[in-house]
Every structure is written in structure tokens, then in C-alpha cells.
Amino acid sequence: QVQLVESGGGLVQAGGSLRLSCAASGGTFSRYTMGWFRQAPGKEREFVGTISWSGSSTAYAASVKGRFTISRDNAKNTVYLQMNSLKYGDTAVYYCAGAGSYAPDETLRREGEYDYWGQGTQVTVSS
């Protein structure tokens, strides 16, 4: 049973920064492709960013590209989402997700490609 636990969410003013963490246990994290998704009230869950298990490849949604950075520390079994220049529209519950059996340089953008999900952490950006 793979467990993913997000942390680092909270309330931040527009223009500010926040770093989310996702700690993994119960599997081989170093071989998991990882991703971040978010869901705002009344909206469907959407892709935010992804990182290959080798760390060599990343991809982002257009809405966050240039502001958010995904990274991983395999020694700590943790993936991060650094969020800068936050906007009110970034307000959402943020989820991390993991998947195994993908190539070292593959990134995954679709929910259905992921097998493991955290319970989410709330990010609220005040305007």
C-alpha cells in the first residue's frame, strides 16, 4: 500500500510564495513518476505539473508555467511544488500523485495514468 501525504498548504496573499511537499512511503519512490493536480471549488481536478522518476523531465500546465517548479528528492522520498507569484486563481486543494512502471524520462499529465493519490492540502490565495 503506497501512501502519499501532502503538506505545506495554507493561506497566502497574492504575489506570495508557498512550497508544498509530498512524502511517499510503502513503495519504491525513486521509480515513481510523480505529479501535482489541483481542484478548485466547483471545478474539475486539473493537471498542474509532473516530474519523471529520473528527475530529468518536467512538464507544467500553461496556467502555472514560469511560476511553479516541481522537484524531487529521492533520498527523502519527497516531491515538492514551489509556487511563486501566486494568484487568486491558484486557490484549490492540491493533490500529489504517483505512478510506477514508466520510463525514466516520462512525464504524465492525465489523472488516469496515476495509481496513487494523496488526500490533498488546501492552498488559499487572498486577493
Side-chain angles (χ1 to χ4, degrees):
Q1 181 70 28
V2 174
Q3 302 286 334
L4 302 176
V5 180
E6 302 96 336
S7 62
L11 176 65
V12 63
Q13 292 188 344
S17 298
L18 206 60
R19 175 183 277 187
L20 305 183
S21 299
C22 175
S25 62
T28 306
F29 176 78
S30 62
R31 296 295 182 270
Y32 294 165
T33 308
M34 300 297 295
W36 286 95
F37 293 77
R38 67 186 184 186
Q39 186 169 26
K43 296 184 178 180
E44 295 183 349
R45 186 153 53 186
E46 65 176 354
F47 167 76
V48 175
T50 177
I51 185 167
S52 62
W53 65 254
S54 71
S56 64
S57 300
T58 58
Y60 302 91
S63 59
V64 306
K65 192 173 184 179
R67 299 188 297 119
F68 291 10
T69 303
I70 189 170
S71 62
R72 65 191 299 154
D73 186 340
N74 287 348
K76 296 182 178 180
N77 290 347
T78 302
V79 63
Y80 303 95
L81 184 68
Q82 178 66 47
M83 305 183 293
N84 298 326
S85 301
L86 283 162
K87 305 174 180 179
Y88 178 75
D90 295 320
T91 296
V93 177
Y94 283 71
Y95 299 89
C96 67
S101 302
Y102 289 90
D105 60 347
E106 280 190 279
T107 53
L108 308 176
R109 305 175 71 100
R110 296 183 290 272
E111 290 185 44
E113 295 175 305
Y114 289 91
D115 300 310
Y116 317 113
W117 293 83
Q119 294 188 4
T121 185
Q122 176 71 48
V123 172
T124 302
V125 183
S126 63
S127 60

